[in-house]
Amino acid sequence: MFATYLIGLREGLEATLVVSILVAFLVKSQRHDRLPQVWAGVGLALALSVLFGWLIEYTSTSLLARSEDRELFEAVTSVAAVVFVTWMIFWMRRAARTIAGELRGKLTEALAVGSFAVAGMAFLAVIREGLETALIFYSAAQSATGGTGSGPLLALIGGIVTAVGIGFLLYRSALRINLSTFFTWTGALLILVAAGILKYGVHDFQEAGVLPGLNDLAFDITGVLDPSTWYAALLAGMFNITAAPSVLEMVAWVAYAVPVLVLFLRRPSAPAKSVPSRTADGPVPARTADGPVPAPTADGHATAAPPAVSRRV
């Protein structure tokens, strides 16, 4: 259940940060009249996210009669969830430093257009997180519990409530945390969660008959990792680490987790800055066909260049 709590916390905090940035910008700009449009967009996004989650669950439990079809559906949603998780954590790592400025700029443009533009911007900012949360939660819950019990749902709600509380305290400036560090650690944990979801998806593909090797075990350590113990259930629930996985399951887990973790934790290299050439007395002045470019004075205006001296031979 910790995996679904982490999903709710991570996705909920991203959506909460977006909403708090929009609200803070409107309050500071003395545009309180636009706050109802923001909350309307947020409410519509939440409603559609819940509807999307219900539709996924209804499709799996009611529309698909054969067990093979259900396994195939769960496998496809698992792969889609892994794609969304991977894109989300890399996007957030890149955008964490500039998201506030970008949102303020877009909101300024929306304010100039009208109420529907403000509501639409808030809707688009939240709906992505909501749809991702519904899809990832469904796959993680299936991976952890096989779709039984209310524990994953309660854990997801707990993570979202925690995220809303953190976002409110950040908005009130009562809590200051290093968001870059937070998203780095939670991103690394979510990569391991996504690797477990992918492993579960491969297992579903094998049970549906799409992939072979269901009974070809990579290893069997049930004597050491008893599935009935609490720590085995914790590892299975968080990262889908099981005592007797198939060869393809382990290949998928390692092939995803190792390179993605390396790419995510590697610090991006800073772009090289061009340094102008200098002489012993300062920068080399630019030249034109008639001579050096006039240097600017303290008031920002260029001084007149001295007239060229003609020489007679």
Side-chain angles (χ1 to χ4, degrees):
M1 289 192 297
F2 178 76
T4 52
Y5 175 82
L6 181 64
I7 291 170
L9 177 63
R10 170 71 183 240
E11 296 285 345
L13 186 57
E14 289 184 26
T16 302
L17 286 175
V18 170
V19 175
S20 63
I21 290 171
L22 297 179
V23 172
F25 178 80
L26 290 176
V27 171
K28 291 181 179 180
S29 303
Q30 300 297 320
R31 298 302 303 269
H32 298 80
D33 58 314
R34 297 301 187 186
L35 288 176
Q37 285 80 34
V38 171
W39 293 120
V42 171
L44 180 60
L46 292 177
L48 289 181
S49 300
V50 173
L51 178 62
F52 179 68
W54 173 83
L55 183 61
I56 294 176
E57 181 66 23
Y58 179 76
T59 301
S60 175
T61 57
S62 301
L63 297 184
L64 302 176
R66 296 194 312 155
S67 61
E68 292 83 1
D69 295 335
R70 288 194 296 269
E71 298 292 344
L72 184 59
F73 178 77
E74 292 175 6
V76 172
T77 54
S78 296
V79 173
V82 171
V83 173
F84 275 115
V85 168
T86 307
W87 177 83
M88 177 261 296
I89 58 178
F90 280 97
W91 175 85
M92 197 61 196
R93 187 187 68 168
R94 184 182 69 252
R97 297 178 181 273
T98 60
I99 185 172
E102 292 178 359
L103 285 174
R104 293 189 189 103
K106 292 179 181 178
L107 186 57
T108 301
E109 297 174 359
L111 286 171
V113 175
S115 301
F116 285 104
V118 175
M121 181 191 168
F123 170 80
L124 293 175
V126 177
I127 189 63
R128 180 181 61 85
E129 307 294 342
L131 296 180
E132 285 179 4
T133 302
L135 181 59
I136 298 168
F137 164 70
Y138 172 79
S139 301
Q142 294 292 328
S143 174
T145 65
T148 59
S150 59
L153 179 60
L154 295 177
L156 178 75
I157 294 174
I160 294 175
V161 170
T162 304
V164 172
I166 293 175
F168 178 77
L169 292 176
L170 286 173
Y171 173 77
R172 291 294 185 179
S173 300
L175 178 63
R176 297 185 182 276
I177 61 176
N178 189 324
L179 291 178
S180 178
T181 302
F182 173 83
F183 284 122
T184 297
W185 281 101
T186 56
L189 288 174
L190 276 181
I191 289 174
L192 297 179
V193 171
I197 294 175
L198 180 61
K199 176 176 173 288
Y200 180 79
V202 170
H203 181 80
D204 279 341
F205 275 126
Q206 291 177 318
E207 287 192 339
V210 176
L211 293 177
L214 178 61
N215 298 318
D216 297 334
L217 300 182
F219 51 80
D220 188 350
I221 56 172
T222 52
V224 177
L225 190 63
D226 187 359
S228 62
T229 58
W230 66 269
Y231 52 86
L234 181 63
L235 289 175
M238 287 178 60
F239 310 120
N240 199 26
I241 296 177
T242 55
S246 68
V247 174
L248 278 180
E249 289 179 56
M250 286 309 302
V251 168
W253 197 96
V254 174
Y256 173 84
V258 173
V260 175
L261 269 175
V262 171
L263 290 174
F264 179 73
L265 296 177
R266 185 181 63 182
R267 293 183 177 275
S269 57
K273 296 181 179 179
S274 59
V275 180
S277 302
R278 300 182 66 89
T279 62
D281 299 327
V284 175
R287 298 184 64 87
T288 64
D290 298 326
V293 175
T297 61
D299 59 358
H301 299 287
T303 57
V309 179
S310 58
R311 295 179 180 272
R312 296 184 179 181
V313 179

